[in-house]
């Protein structure tokens, strides 16, 4: 079998699946392919090491391309890799260009496809990720849906139940396995000069927030406004750093703690103790439901309604950040107590094991 990953969230969410495949079928049973879509050390290299993953057997070079360029290059390259290694099945995760190209290449080579984290829909056709999800779900032989809502989305598009498995999201076990001990969590906070419950943790990287200088400036101004009340720690995605430079926001950034993207353990520790998180990340919207922390989601739409419905996250426009954070902080202790008791809507930490089992069954079926 082959596992195709290329970006930070795919590495984080597929690490538990690779671990379960190793446990079930023997170490090294999966051919791990890194498309290089994220190539920066802070966005890729540090995660391979930290998550204890074997070095990828195949490494492609899809970094810094246009979407069409990336899809074309990866579909052709992955097609060549699949033709030469002939994997029994291909696993892809999420909604990136890597995901869609992996799906197209597997389909072109006639290899069964498993889509991990299937059935997410924002119904926002302006998002490239939405198209990547739809393409991949419809090509997949097995759609691993994280929630009943995701399963319903697939059914509404005519994907039969026989091609869907409700597994939960592997982010749950990723958090469970990567979250350090309490002492180590607090040591991470200390190393960034933060105290529990007394800082804001922010990540912003989506094109809808970074591509338009006025939008990005509005978000950064809102964060700076919060920094008057408590420290704002902002591990900054390389794309956002470049966009902030182009939007001439450097002076504003100097009023927050802006750092390079941090490793998984550091990020989860910081997230576990933040008074509030502000983010446009899909993975973070899931992680807060495990860590039981409040999140302000700065986006036009979301495909993670479960995190909102359970009361963990709040979808807002940039101009609503300040008032939403003020509302969260005004009843903070009561809110934290309520979230602590709210079940995680993304499963119970067995998704990766279920996906590994179902994949090996798919391989067996193909042998018959
Ligand atoms: N993350 C991290 N370090 C950081 C910021 C985020 O390890 O400095 C992790 C976070 O824990 C989550 C993942 O990155 O698991 C989310 O990735 P990203 O926001 O790039 O993608 P998305 O989830 O929006 O697809």
């Amino acid at each position: 079998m082959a596992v195709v990953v290329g970006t930070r969230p795919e590495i984080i969410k597929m690490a538990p699946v690779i671990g379960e495949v190793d446990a079930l079928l023997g170490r090294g049973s999966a051919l791990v392919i890194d498309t290089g879509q994220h190539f920066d050390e802070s966005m890729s290299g540090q995660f391979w090491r930290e998550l204890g993953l074997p070095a990828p057997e195949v490494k492609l070079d899809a970094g810094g391309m246009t979407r069409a360029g990336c899809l074309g290059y990866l579909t052709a390259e992955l097609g060549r890799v699949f033709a030469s290694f002939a994997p029994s099945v291909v696993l892809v995760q999420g909604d990136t260009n890597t995901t869609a190209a992996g799906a197209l290449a597997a389909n072109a080579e006639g290899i069964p496809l498993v889509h991990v984290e299937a059935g997410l829909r924002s119904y926002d056709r302006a998002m490239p990720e939405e198209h990547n999800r739809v393409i991949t779900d419809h090509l997949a032989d097995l759609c691993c849906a994280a929630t009943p809502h995701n399963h319903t989305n697939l059914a509404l598009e005519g994907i039969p139940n026989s091609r869907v498995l409700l597994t939960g999201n592997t982010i749950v076990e990723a958090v469970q396995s990567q979250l350090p001990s309490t002492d180590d969590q607090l040591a991470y906070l200390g190393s960034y000069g933060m105290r529990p419950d007394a800082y804001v943790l922010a990540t912003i990287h989506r094109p809808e927030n970074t591509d338009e200088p006025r939008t990005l400036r509005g978000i950064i101004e809102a964060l700076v406004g919060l920094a008057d009340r408590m420290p704002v720690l902002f591990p900054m995605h390389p794309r956002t750093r470049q966009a902030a430079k182009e939007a001439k926001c450097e002076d504003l950034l100097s009023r927050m703690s802006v750092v390079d993207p941090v490793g998984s353990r550091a990020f989860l520790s910081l997230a576990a103790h933040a008074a509030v998180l502000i983010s446009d990340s899909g993975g973070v919207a899931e992680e807060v439901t495990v860590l039981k922390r409040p999140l302000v989601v700065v986006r036009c739409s979301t495909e993670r309604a479960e995190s909102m419905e359970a009361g963990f996250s709040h979808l807002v426009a940039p101009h609503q950040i300040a008032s939403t954070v003020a509302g969260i902080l005004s009843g903070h202790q009561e809110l934290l107590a309520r979230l602590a008791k709210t079940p995680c809507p993304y499963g119970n930490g067995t998704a990766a094991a279920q996906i590994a089992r179902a994949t090996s069954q798919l391989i067996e079926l193909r042998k018959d």
Side-chain angles (χ1 to χ4, degrees):
M1 93 179 59
V3 175
V4 185
V5 294
T7 64
R8 173 172 69 184
E10 291 165 278
I11 301 167
I12 292 173
K13 289 177 171 176
M14 286 306 272
V17 176
I18 295 170
E20 293 291 343
V21 166
D22 280 353
L24 191 68
L25 302 175
R27 196 160 168 74
S29 326
L31 171 78
V32 180
I33 302 168
D34 177 7
T35 67
Q37 191 180 332
H38 278 169
F39 51 91
D40 198 286
E41 163 62 23
S42 68
M43 295 293 293
S44 174
Q46 68 169 333
F47 294 98
W48 286 90
R49 282 192 303 282
E50 190 180 17
L51 300 176
L53 290 168
E57 274 110 306
V58 178
K59 187 135 180 37
L60 303 175
D61 198 10
M65 294 180 173
T66 61
R67 177 158 186 257
C70 184
L71 287 170
Y73 163 78
L74 282 181
T75 306
E77 288 298 313
L78 289 169
R80 265 192 279 280
V81 173
F82 296 160
S84 116
F85 285 86
S88 47
V89 56
V90 169
L91 281 86
V92 295
Q93 194 281 340
D95 54 21
T96 67
N97 295 336
T98 290
T99 317
L104 286 165
N107 181 260
E109 292 301 320
I111 301 169
L113 176 72
V114 176
H115 185 202
V116 175
E117 199 177 83
L120 268 72
R121 294 291 182 270
S122 64
Y123 298 103
D124 177 356
R125 287 175 51 80
M127 286 179 71
E129 294 93 332
E130 182 73 357
H131 299 280
N132 290 341
R133 293 176 194 125
V134 171
I135 290 167
T136 308
D137 284 336
H138 284 263
L139 291 176
D141 296 277
L142 180 63
C143 290
C144 299
T147 68
H149 178 63
N150 300 155
H151 190 163
T152 303
N153 289 341
L154 295 167
L156 288 172
E157 291 175 18
I159 296 178
N161 281 343
S162 56
R163 271 171 44 208
V164 183
L165 182 67
L166 182 60
T167 58
N169 196 306
T170 61
I171 197 70
V172 177
E173 44 269 49
V175 173
Q176 288 167 346
S177 65
Q178 289 303 309
L179 186 66
S181 68
T182 307
D183 281 355
D184 288 352
Q185 292 172 27
L186 296 177
Y188 275 120
L189 263 62
S191 69
Y192 289 97
M194 300 295 144
R195 286 181 300 110
D197 297 332
Y199 61 94
V200 174
L201 180 63
T203 79
I204 294 291
H205 72 285
R206 287 194 184 269
E208 69 185 63
N209 288 329
T210 59
D211 283 4
E212 172 59 52
R214 253 207 340 219
T215 308
L216 181 59
R217 177 168 274 272
I219 294 170
I220 291 175
E221 281 171 352
L223 295 178
V224 168
L226 297 175
D228 291 337
R229 181 166 176 184
M230 59 171 65
V232 176
L233 179 60
F234 193 167
M236 199 174 269
H237 194 289
R239 180 200 292 134
T240 314
R241 202 177 270 280
Q242 182 59 32
K245 204 167 146 195
E246 283 160 19
K248 304 202 176 2
C249 291
E250 276 117 327
D251 282 2
L252 291 170
L253 295 184
S254 68
R255 292 161 62 188
M256 297 181 271
S257 299
V258 176
V259 295
D260 284 336
V262 302
S264 194
R265 286 164 185 268
F267 188 81
L268 293 174
S269 301
L270 291 163
H273 296 280
V276 57
L277 291 93
I278 298 176
S279 180
D280 55 10
S281 160
V284 172
E286 294 155 354
E287 286 166 345
V288 293
T289 70
V290 184
L291 299 169
K292 315 297 184 196
R293 288 279 140 172
L295 166 69
V296 175
V297 178
V298 188
R299 285 183 54 186
C300 306
S301 61
T302 181
E303 58 292 311
R304 271 117 177 148
E306 298 87 346
S307 180
M308 276 176 20
E309 282 157 11
F312 292 98
S313 55
H314 309 260
L315 185 67
V316 304
H319 70 274
Q320 298 166 308
I321 293 174
S323 58
T324 310
V325 171
I328 288 172
L329 294 180
S330 70
H332 200 228
Q333 285 315 315
E334 296 77 11
L335 176 63
L336 289 185
R338 182 152 50 76
L339 295 182
K341 287 194 226 130
T342 306
C344 165
Y346 295 104
N348 59 5
T350 61
Q354 292 183 61
I355 292 163
R357 265 201 310 276
T359 303
S360 82
Q361 281 161 9
L362 197 65
I363 297 171
E364 287 306 314
L365 272 176
R366 300 286 291 196
K367 281 188 191 155
D368 294 343

